[in-house]
Amino acid sequence: MYRLLIVTENQQVNDMITAMQGWEKLGFKPPRLRSTMEAAVECLQKHPIDAIAVDHAPAFDELFTYLDKQYPDMPMFQIGSSEESQMQIVQELAHLLNRLNADDSNDAHDLAYNMQLQRDRWMKKLIGGLITGEELIRQMHLYRFRVPLQLPCVLARLEINDEDGFMTERWHYGSDRLETALRNFFGYSHNHMLMHVAVISPEEVRILCYSACAEYGVSENAAYDYMRETVEQIEHYLGLHMNIVSVYRISGIRELCK
């Protein structure tokens, strides 16, 4: 069963969590509750914890910093406003933990690698416009996606020319494998620019670009130049021809929500 830690000074939250039933049915042990950073850190060091929730109170600002440094890939779920909303959040968490711990290969379990895979899948949904504004913040915490909402980004749209038969005649592995191949070419970063690649359909690829430093933005020209260079490499090595349809600035990732 999965083990949770909830850190809060709010007695009403403590009472709500303590009163909740049905944890075992969802695959969880009843959560451990702590009210200070020191107690939370001690719990993390003494017990195997699969996911954590922390109240957004000034007293826990240092705890968030500690978690980002020591546990950057541990899912972080929200504290609900009611038993019903908390159970919905926990169900979503259970779905993620099941995928993170799925025994589908002979490789040793690697939480960081598995979390990056799940983060990539979530980013594909976000870039594809499948995440609502209501879901955005909750799921950003869950997947430990740390981009500020107000950070300007650049979105590139690339078109795959289906007339040359690449997907039907030469590429037989499906869009997920193509996405992995494209990500290997574009990478996750270039200079100060971070990127997420998403194959939206057999005809369209989208790439979200943003700065690794919140103080600096990414220019459309810099993004376009890198897209053009990489597209030429992809055509040379894979034989896949893509057209850059548009490269434009958005005010933040909230614009990607449906």
Side-chain angles (χ1 to χ4, degrees), residues 124 160 175-176 178-179 182 197-202 204-206:
K124 179 174 182 176
I160 298 176
S175 61
D176 287 345
L178 176 60
E179 191 171 83
L182 295 180
V197 178
V199 177
I200 303 301
S201 73
E204 183 181 4
V205 175
R206 298 179 191 173

Side-chain angles (χ1 to χ4, degrees), residues 37 41 44 52 54 56 60-76 112 115 119 140-148:
M37 174 178 172
V41 171
L44 287 165
I52 187 171
V54 181
H56 285 274
F60 299 128
D61 288 346
E62 289 187 25
L63 179 56
F64 282 105
T65 302
Y66 173 83
L67 292 170
D68 282 343
K69 183 177 181 180
Q70 300 295 332
Y71 300 91
D73 298 299
M74 178 182 289
M76 184 177 289
M115 189 61 163
R119 195 178 292 122
M140 282 179 66
H141 286 292
L142 187 62
Y143 288 90
R144 305 299 296 276
F145 184 64
R146 300 170 180 85
V147 175

Side-chain angles (χ1 to χ4, degrees), residues 2-8 13-14 17 23 28-55 63 66-67 71 74-79 86 93 97:
Y2 298 124
R3 293 141 300 195
L4 307 179
L5 172 60
I6 297 177
V7 188
T8 178
V13 171
N14 277 314
I17 297 298
W23 294 100
F28 295 94
K29 291 185 175 182
R32 297 178 185 272
L33 294 163
R34 298 293 185 270
S35 60
T36 67
M37 174 178 172
E38 293 73 20
V41 171
E42 181 182 14
C43 182
L44 287 165
Q45 292 174 345
K46 286 186 176 181
H47 305 284
I49 300 295
D50 296 298
I52 187 171
V54 181
D55 239 340
L63 179 56
Y66 173 83
L67 292 170
Y71 300 91
M74 178 182 289
M76 184 177 289
F77 62 103
Q78 284 190 325
I79 296 175
Q86 188 66 69
L93 171 63
L97 289 173

